[in-house]
Amino acid sequence: MIELPRKAKGERPSYFEDGTLDSMLSMLLALAGEVVVLRERLDSAERIIDGSGLLTDRIDAYRPSPEVAAKREALRAQFIDLVMRPVQQEYENLQEKAARQESYHKAIDLCISG
Amino acid sequence: MNTATLDPNRQFEHDALATPTSEEESRQMFVKSLKYHLATRVAPGNKLAYEARVLPEAEKAGRAPGSYHDVRALMADDGYYRLWGAMQRSSQEMMWRSVQVSVERQIDELQAKAKGNTAPLGSVTLDPDMPIPGYISAVDIHCMPGNYHGEFREDDLSNGAVYDRAVWFYAMGRMGPLNDDMGRSMSDHIKAHYPGLKPKRVLDMGCGVGHSTLPYVDAFPEAEIYGVDLGAPMIRYAHARAEAMGKKVHYSQQNAEKTNFPDGHFDLIVSHILVHETSNKAIRNIMKEAYRLLAPGGVVLHLETPPYRAMTDFEACMLDWDTRNNNEPFWGGSHLIQPEEMAELAGFGAEQGFERTIPSAFDQAEKQRTKIFQAGDFGGGGSWYIWGAEKEKA
């Protein structure tokens, strides 16, 4: 074993007024990752459980086939969509705002030309 | 190696690679999915935030931006941009951690394998006394703890192993199972653009773990291939990786600003994402060194992402994020370089300088590419920017 440093040299930028928020966000994302790790481990267990042999060893040695990898990719994308929903909502609000502005501009153009 | 037979959705597991356990792989793949989500589903909102509220408010206040620096100053207060940035930074830190854990577990094995090779095809030469320049040591580049040169045990290659695996996640697999899209795209271009060039020796400057070096072994089977890098762990690992893949390369730990090769030793000098990790002074030295090292009729080519002059101020601001947020202090500076100026001061002559755009060779990733050059989306542009200089024939 070796212990590599976890901190990259260089000042870390702060993205929010309160540094606690930066930490909370980092923890949230790390936690989200660990939930996915758990879920995939369960997925491995479910696929293996009906076979024989030491379950833990087989789970650790399990490597997804291309088909399973593709399925997991889709599951992860869905999971991230769910967790990141508040951000997506902000994005959609911005899209709607842009669309509203555009349709209003079109209405003005229509009235002027019509 | 016939890359066409490799699974395009998985990194090729050569013998030197730190292969993950089931759980480690899940953690790593999560980072890849998160980065893809950020690039495709979150990052585009920045433009909307800019156009819908940031720019109109700035114009109303008489602060219309005149440069990408102005755009950055305006965006700094936008909540959506901040949230995206915070998550982008976190995803980078998670990427390194997810790979470190896996490398730490199997380092003894990886090191033993590297040392066990008694009949190598190529060679590895280290220089423990070589000073690490300030532009590398000032901060840990792209937030990789320990940087390119950090050593944490004797004959350490840990960070080479970390880098090899992490790059595949950083590019979200879109540089191919061998992380070699840059080297393949460039060598394809060189063969097409310089059909008469039959290099005897090729030098890859800032070769890292050799992702971009190995394509030249296949592209120019008659040539001797050399790679130099500042980081000892990179060079040790690059050697182990090349040998594991049956490729003959001569790697040495050297500073590309001043190497120990004789004058006119190379017909072709290349670099891939080296320039943005240097400095204004260093890239000038590197160009002068390239001029010295090239035989008449030779050519030096550097691969990067496009310069800021080729895009709008908003796009430049989004690509420039790495400068202040991803420990890439020369990212911005490198995107302002003028090839003619470099060619002139290095001795090639201004008219010998050039810049071009070349397509990505790994076309199986086309569907996963955004075709945008923006922070956190590396390998997603579908093309690369190259610049360099041709040395006149004698």
Side-chain angles (χ1 to χ4, degrees), chain A residues 18-86:
Chain A
D18 183 348
T20 317
L21 259 185
D22 286 276
S23 301
M24 293 288 279
L25 189 83
S26 295
M27 288 191 282
L28 179 73
L29 289 177
L31 193 61
E34 293 309 310
V35 172
V36 165
V37 170
L38 263 178
R39 202 162 104 170
E40 292 192 354
R41 190 170 180 95
L42 184 64
D43 178 59
S44 302
E46 284 168 356
R47 287 167 200 281
I48 292 164
I49 213 143
D50 58 346
S52 56
L54 287 167
L55 189 59
T56 310
D57 287 353
R58 291 191 62 194
I59 288 176
D60 279 339
Y62 181 82
R63 300 294 301 281
S65 65
E67 292 73 31
V68 175
K71 194 160 175 260
R72 286 185 171 188
E73 183 100 47
L75 280 171
R76 277 195 308 275
Q78 187 195 43
F79 176 91
I80 292 171
D81 265 351
L82 289 170
V83 174
M84 302 272 273
R85 184 58 219 168

Side-chain angles (χ1 to χ4, degrees), chain B residues 21-78:
Chain B
T21 62
S22 170
E23 203 166 293
E24 286 165 359
E25 187 169 33
S26 289
R27 188 174 295 114
Q28 295 169 351
M29 292 298 273
F30 174 77
V31 174
K32 174 173 170 277
S33 298
L34 176 63
K35 280 186 175 289
Y36 191 65
H37 181 92
L38 289 173
T40 57
R41 311 248 304 153
V42 181
N46 286 315
K47 190 163 188 275
L48 296 175
Y50 179 67
E51 287 168 354
R53 58 191 184 207
V54 175
L55 185 60
E57 277 167 32
E59 281 171 341
K60 209 158 66 183
R63 287 177 64 205
S67 71
Y68 72 92
H69 295 290
D70 293 346
V71 176
R72 183 180 69 245
L74 292 172
M75 288 297 276
D77 293 327
D78 189 77

